[in-house]
Amino acid sequence: MNNFDVSFILDSLPYLLKGLQFSLILTAVAFSCGIALGTILALLVHLRVPVLGLIAKTYVALIRSIPLIMVLFWFFFLVPLFLGWLSGASRPVPVGATWTAFITFALFEAAYYCEIIRVGLRAVPKGQFEAAAALSLNPCATYLHVILPQVFRATVPIILTQTIILFQDTSLVYVLSLTDLLGAASKLAQISGRLTEFYLTIALIYLVICFGASQLVWRLRKKTKLQ
Amino acid sequence: MFELLSQPAPDGGTYGKWLLSGLTWTMALAIAGWAIAFAVGVAIGTGRCLSGRTIPAICRVYVEIFRNIPLLVQMFLWYFVLPELLPPNLGDWLKQLAPPWGNFLPAVLCLGLYTASRVAEQVRAGIEALPPGQKEAAIALGLHPRHVQYYVIVPQALRLLIPSLTSEVMGIYKNTSVALTIGVMELTAQARQISEMTFQTFPAFAAVTITYLVLALIVWAGMTWLEHHLAAPTSTACDPRPVFLPPVKEENR
Amino acid sequence: MLNQSDPILRLENIGKYYGRFQALADISLSVQIGEKIVICGPSGSGKSTLIRCVNRIEAHDSGRVIVAGHELTAKTRQISQIRQDVGMVFQSFNLFPHLTILQNCMLAPIKSRGLDRSDAEKIAQNLLSKVHIANQAHKYPAQLSGGQQQRAAIARALCMKPQLMLFDEPTSALDPEMVQEVLDTMAELASEGMTMLCVTHEMSFARQVADRVIFMADGRIVESSPTEEFFRNAQSERARSFLRRVDL
Ligand SMILES: Nc1ncnc2c1ncn2[C@@H]1O[C@H](COP(=O)(O)OP(=O)(O)O)[C@@H](O)[C@H]1O
Ligand SMILES: [Mg+2]
C-alpha cells in the first residue's frame, strides 16, 4: 500500500475505458430489449391471456428465483444447443460469450422489468379503464394511449433504479471472462500484480457513475411527486 | 435424470454430496450474511432518521458507498485489497486463514454489509412512510417518547417493511452465488464443477436450479407467514384479533 | 331506422348479481329521445350499477338492455358501436392524467370515430368553450379545480356526439362551491335537448331539469313519476322519508 502507483492506472486508462464502454453497451441493450419484452410479459399476465399468461408468470417467477450467475451458466450452455436445434444442425452452434451475455441480460432483466410494470398496471385506478371503455376505445388503444403511458410515468424512477442495478450486475460477465470494466481491471491486475490499485480505481468509477445516476433518479422522483 | 447425483465423485463421495456441501455453504452465507445485514441495516436505517446532522450523514455515506459499487467488485475489495490495506501482520493473518474460512469470512462480511445498505434504505423508507399523525397522536396521549417508538412507530414500520424485506432476503440468497468468484464452493460453483467433471451439464445445472427454487419457495412461504401473522387488521378484513403488541409491563418508578 | 317515437333506451327486467348479492332486481325502464331522467335513492340502492349496465361497463345477468334499437350482448363490435353513442360522466371525473384537457377530448374521436386531428381538435375546442374552459385546454387535469375537471369530463364525453348522456353523481366529489357550475353546465345541455340519465342527489337540479324522477331502493325501482308529482306527492313512504332527509 505504501507504493500506490498512479502512473500504472493512467497508462491503462484507455483499456479500462474500453471495458467501461462494453459495460455501458451491455446495459443499454439489456435495458431496451428488457423493457420491450418485460412490457409484453406484463400485459400477458395482466390481461390473463390463456396459456401465454401462465407461461409468462412462470418464466418471471423462475428467473427471479435463480441467481444471475446461474442463469448466465444456463444460457452459456443452452443457447448454442437451441440455435443448433433451430438451424437444424446436428451439433450446437457456438455463439461465444459476448452474445450469450447480451441475450442473457436482456431475458433476465425482462423478468424484473415485467414485475415492475405489472405492479404499475395494477395501480392504475379502475376508473381509467372504465372511462376508456365508456369512450369506446378498443383494448389496444386503451393500453397504448391511456394505461401504459400512465404506468411508465409512475414507474420511471423504479425502472431507472433497476437499471442502475443492471449496470452493476453487468460486472458478473466476469464469470464468462469477458472484458467489461471489471474484466479489464482484473486482466490488467493479473498482468501487473497491482490488484489494489486497479480494483480501487474501478470501485471508484462504479461509485461515481452509480451515485450520480441515483442522484438524478432521486431528483426525478421528487419532481414527479410534486406534480 | 438425476442418477448423476448418486455417481461416485473423484474425492470418494458422490456428486450428490458435493451438491449438499454447496447447499450448506450457500445457506451459511445467506443466514450469517442476513444476520449482519439485518442488524447493521436497521441500525443504519434508523440512524438516518435521527435528528441532528452527524449520525444521519455518516449513515448516508455508508449507504451510498455500499450500494453503488457492484457486489462482485466489493467481493474483490474484501478478498484481494483489504489484506493489503491492513497493518501487515493482520493482513497476513487474513491471507493465511485456513482454506474455507479465508474465502468464507470476506464473502460473508461483503454480502452482509452490502445487503445492510439496502435494508437500511428500506427501514428509512418504512419510518418515513408512517403518517405523522401516528406519532402526534401517541405524543398527545402523553406516552413517553420511548414508548412512542416502542409501541407505536417501530411495530408499524416493521409491518410496512416485511414485503420489501422479503425481496432483500430473496436478494441475499441469490447473491450468495457471487462468492464463487473468490473461491467459495457454494451451489453455483458446485454446479459448474460437477458439469466440468462429468460433462453432464444438464442434470447438474437442473439439480442446482431446483435447489434454488425450493429455497426461494421456503423464503417466500416464511415471509408470507410472517406478514400474515404481523398484519394489522384492515377495515375490509374484519379480523377480530388484537394488533400485535409486545406485552405491557408495569413500570417501576 | 329509429323512429322518433321509439325509445332510445329500453331496459326489460334487468337483473344483476355480485356473487350471491342481488344488486338489481327486475328493473324495467324506457327513455324517449330528449327525455331527462333523474335517478335517486339511498346509497347502495343500485343506482350506479343500473347506469353502468346501460353501456355495459357492468354486464347484466338477466333481462334485456336495448340502446337505440340494438340489444346489448357480449359481442364486442356492437358494444363499442353503442358506447360511441352513449356518453358517460363519472363521480371521480376519470380524466386521463397524462394527457392535456384538449388531448383528453380528442383521443376517442380520433381512435374510435376515426376523425382526423384537425376535425377532432375543432370539435374539442368548440365544446370546451361551451363548458367555459377553453382557456384551460392545454393544461393537465391535475392543474384544474374539481369543477373545471368535471366540466372537462363532460366536454370529453360530448366530443363523441353521443345521443344519450349518463351521469353518475357528477357533483358528489366536488367542493360545495363548485357544484353549481357543473349543474349549470348540465342544465344548459338539457335545454339543448340532450337525452340524459342522471344519478344525483341535487333535488333542486332535478326539479329544474328532470321530466321524470326514478326512486330506487334495494336494487329495485320503487317509484317512477313525473317530476312535479314526485316532489308534491311521492307515493311510497321510503321516497317521502328520503326526500325529507335530502331536500330542505
Ligand atoms: N363490484 C362490486 N362487487 C360487489 N358488490 C358490489 C360491486 N359494486 C357494487 N356492489 C354492491 O351493489 C350494491 C349497489 O351498488 P351501487 O350501484 O354502487 O349503489 P349506489 O350507486 O346506489 O350507491 C351495493 O350494495 C354495493 O355494495
Ligand atoms: Mg353510486
Side-chain angles (χ1 to χ4, degrees):
Chain A
M1 184 55 216
N2 316 338
N3 45 0
F4 193 101
D5 199 335
V6 182
S7 65
F8 255 115
I9 305 292
L10 289 179
D11 288 345
S12 45
L13 211 53
Y15 189 66
L16 286 180
L17 288 181
K18 255 180 90 180
L20 176 60
Q21 189 189 9
F22 178 79
S23 300
L24 289 171
I25 293 175
L26 180 54
T27 305
V29 171
F31 169 76
S32 355
C33 301
I35 284 280
L37 187 60
T39 308
I40 295 170
L41 289 173
L43 285 175
L44 290 177
V45 176
H46 185 75
L47 292 169
R48 302 215 179 99
V49 178
V51 187
L52 288 180
L54 195 68
I55 292 176
K57 222 173 176 171
T58 315
Y59 172 80
V60 171
L62 188 72
I63 291 287
R64 284 169 59 86
S65 309
I66 328 175
L68 176 52
I69 298 188
M70 193 66 231
V71 180
L72 276 166
F73 286 167
W74 264 119
F75 276 74
F76 198 58
F77 163 65
L78 283 181
V79 169
L81 289 181
F82 182 69
L83 289 181
W85 174 78
L86 262 192
S87 61
S90 54
R91 49 175 69 194
V93 178
V95 279
T98 313
W99 276 104
T100 307
F102 278 103
I103 296 172
T104 311
F105 271 90
L107 294 179
F108 183 82
E109 288 303 317
Y112 283 80
Y113 289 131
C114 166
E115 196 60 14
I116 295 171
I117 292 167
R118 197 176 64 80
V119 173
L121 279 169
R122 273 204 318 217
V124 175
K126 224 175 113 215
Q128 293 291 312
F129 291 93
E130 291 175 356
L135 287 168
S136 149
L137 290 174
N138 62 27
C140 190
T142 301
Y143 276 93
L144 210 59
H145 298 288
V146 177
I147 306 301
L148 283 179
Q150 293 185 48
V151 170
F152 284 127
R153 254 162 209 247
T155 54
V156 140
I158 310 174
I159 288 177
L160 291 180
T161 303
Q162 176 62 35
T163 309
I164 296 174
I165 297 175
L166 158 65
F167 173 65
Q168 294 187 16
D169 279 348
T170 58
S171 63
L172 292 176
V173 297
Y174 169 85
V175 301
L176 300 180
S177 309
L178 288 174
T179 312
D180 69 319
L181 180 54
L182 174 62
S186 111
K187 278 168 196 167
L188 291 170
Q190 235 116 80
I191 295 167
S192 64
R194 304 258 166 190
L195 277 67
T196 308
E197 283 91 336
F198 279 111
Y199 288 147
L200 281 177
T201 305
I202 60 155
L204 192 67
I205 296 178
Y206 276 117
L207 180 62
V208 168
I209 294 177
C210 296
F211 176 71
S214 66
Q215 285 309 101
L216 288 179
V217 173
W218 185 74
R219 273 197 202 168
L220 186 80
R221 196 187 287 259
K222 252 180 82 176
K223 221 166 110 189
T224 46
K225 225 180 223 166
L226 282 180
Q227 278 180 0
Chain B
M1 182 169 105
F2 294 121
E3 346 23 294
L4 167 70
L5 297 181
S6 53
Q7 282 169 18
D11 67 347
T14 58
Y15 288 116
K17 277 223 174 96
W18 286 22
L19 196 141
L20 223 57
S21 133
L23 176 63
T24 314
W25 284 113
T26 293
M27 299 278 284
L29 279 171
I31 292 170
W34 180 251
I36 297 172
F38 189 73
V40 177
V42 170
I44 300 272
T46 333
R48 283 198 70 176
C49 297
L50 292 179
S51 48
R53 287 201 164 174
T54 328
I55 297 177
I58 293 172
C59 294
R60 165 120 201 257
V61 169
Y62 175 93
V63 168
E64 297 298 354
I65 288 179
F66 278 86
R67 74 169 184 179
N68 281 316
I69 298 174
L71 179 60
L72 178 49
V73 176
Q74 291 190 37
M75 279 289 173
F76 284 4
L77 292 182
W78 283 97
Y79 185 67
F80 294 117
V81 177
L82 183 70
E84 306 295 330
L85 300 182
L86 290 172
N89 45 1
L90 195 59
D92 288 343
W93 173 79
L94 254 183
K95 280 193 247 181
Q96 282 153 19
L97 222 53
W101 306 110
N103 313 26
F104 181 76
L105 193 64
V108 149
L109 286 174
C110 173
L111 205 56
L113 294 179
Y114 167 81
T115 311
S117 71
R118 304 181 49 90
V119 171
E121 277 304 272
Q122 308 284 13
V123 170
R124 181 179 66 93
I127 291 176
E128 283 177 358
L130 285 184
Q134 289 295 315
K135 195 170 181 177
E136 286 161 14
I139 292 170
L141 285 171
L143 284 177
H144 188 278
R146 186 155 37 92
H147 290 169
V148 173
Q149 287 292 328
Y150 188 61
Y151 290 118
V152 181
I153 306 299
V154 173
Q156 292 192 56
L158 224 84
R159 275 196 203 98
L160 282 179
L161 270 176
I162 291 171
S164 45
L165 286 187
T166 307
S167 76
E168 294 310 328
V169 176
M170 297 283 280
I172 202 171
Y173 100 80
K174 280 184 282 178
N175 281 334
T176 53
S177 65
V178 176
L180 76 84
T181 57
I182 60 169
V184 179
M185 290 309 289
E186 46 64 69
L187 270 174
T188 305
Q190 290 292 3
R192 182 165 64 170
Q193 180 169 279
I194 296 172
S195 112
E196 275 167 6
M197 287 283 186
T198 61
F199 297 105
Q200 300 194 46
T201 307
F202 192 86
F205 283 11
V208 166
T209 301
I210 290 171
T211 312
Y212 276 122
L213 291 180
V214 171
L215 282 182
L217 211 64
I218 292 171
V219 169
W220 176 81
M223 293 306 270
T224 310
W225 179 85
L226 202 61
E227 187 173 3
H228 191 79
H229 275 251
L230 293 184
T234 58
S235 52
T236 45
C238 347
D239 189 342
R241 279 178 309 172
V243 178
F244 167 80
L245 276 181
V248 182
K249 286 202 193 102
E250 280 297 317
E251 193 99 33
N252 294 322
R253 304 215 172 187
Chain C
M1 42 154 203
L2 200 63
N3 289 325
Q4 200 61 36
S5 57
D6 284 345
I8 179 96
L9 169 68
R10 203 162 78 234
L11 306 178
E12 294 177 2
N13 312 101
I14 299 297
K16 166 78 188 168
Y17 288 83
Y18 289 112
R20 299 184 55 188
F21 174 78
Q22 185 160 26
L24 293 180
D26 197 28
I27 301 275
S28 293
L29 170 69
S30 153
V31 182
Q32 300 297 326
I33 289 177
E35 220 180 348
K36 288 107 189 105
I37 294 179
V38 161
I39 303 174
C40 60
S43 157
S45 56
K47 307 179 297 291
S48 300
T49 309
L50 170 62
I51 211 169
R52 290 150 68 90
C53 283
V54 172
N55 61 353
R56 216 178 163 84
I57 299 275
E58 302 280 356
H60 55 280
D61 294 318
S62 58
R64 308 208 306 156
V65 178
I66 298 157
V67 181
H70 301 284
E71 181 172 355
L72 278 188
T73 57
K75 274 200 222 130
T76 349
R77 244 286 154 63
Q78 212 184 24
I79 293 165
S80 73
Q81 271 301 314
I82 283 167
R83 282 174 179 164
Q84 289 183 16
D85 294 333
V86 178
M88 184 162 197
V89 176
F90 299 84
Q91 181 176 347
S92 51
F93 323 145
N94 291 344
L95 290 168
F96 304 136
H98 62 297
L99 300 179
T100 63
I101 298 301
L102 186 64
Q103 288 168 335
N104 261 282
C105 291
M106 290 165 58
L107 183 65
I110 294 173
K111 298 294 166 192
S112 311
R113 283 251 190 251
L115 296 190
D116 59 38
R117 291 197 76 81
S118 59
D119 288 346
E121 184 167 348
K122 228 175 285 165
I123 294 171
Q125 287 285 14
N126 233 329
L127 285 163
L128 286 174
S129 334
K130 212 177 108 174
V131 300
H132 311 294
I133 48 171
N135 51 348
Q136 315 287 339
H138 294 285
K139 289 193 182 165
Y140 287 92
Q143 298 169 312
L144 268 57
S145 74
Q148 290 172 325
Q149 287 190 50
Q150 194 58 299
R151 283 183 282 148
I154 294 174
R156 178 177 74 176
L158 291 177
C159 282
M160 292 294 282
K161 301 263 180 264
Q163 300 180 38
L164 168 66
M165 281 287 284
L166 308 174
F167 294 84
D168 189 0
E169 304 202 29
T171 57
S172 303
L174 294 176
D175 291 339
E177 75 270 18
M178 295 171 184
V179 169
Q180 199 52 47
E181 60 187 65
V182 172
L183 291 179
D184 288 346
T185 305
M186 290 164 64
E188 212 176 303
L189 194 61
S191 70
E192 288 166 13
M194 175 61 75
T195 315
M196 290 164 61
L197 197 56
C198 182
V199 176
T200 182
H201 290 156
E202 298 292 335
M203 288 301 131
S204 56
F205 171 80
R207 272 206 168 107
Q208 175 199 346
V209 169
D211 301 315
R212 201 147 44 106
V213 177
I214 287 173
F215 178 77
M216 286 183 71
D218 299 332
R220 290 172 189 278
I221 294 182
V222 176
E223 193 157 342
S224 166
S225 341
T227 310
E228 262 305 282
E229 208 178 304
F230 180 78
F231 284 109
R232 194 160 30 97
N233 182 22
Q235 299 298 304
S236 62
E237 174 50 35
R238 294 193 72 165
R240 281 197 298 272
S241 80
F242 176 79
L243 278 176
R244 276 198 297 277
R245 267 175 291 132
V246 179
D247 194 36
L248 292 171

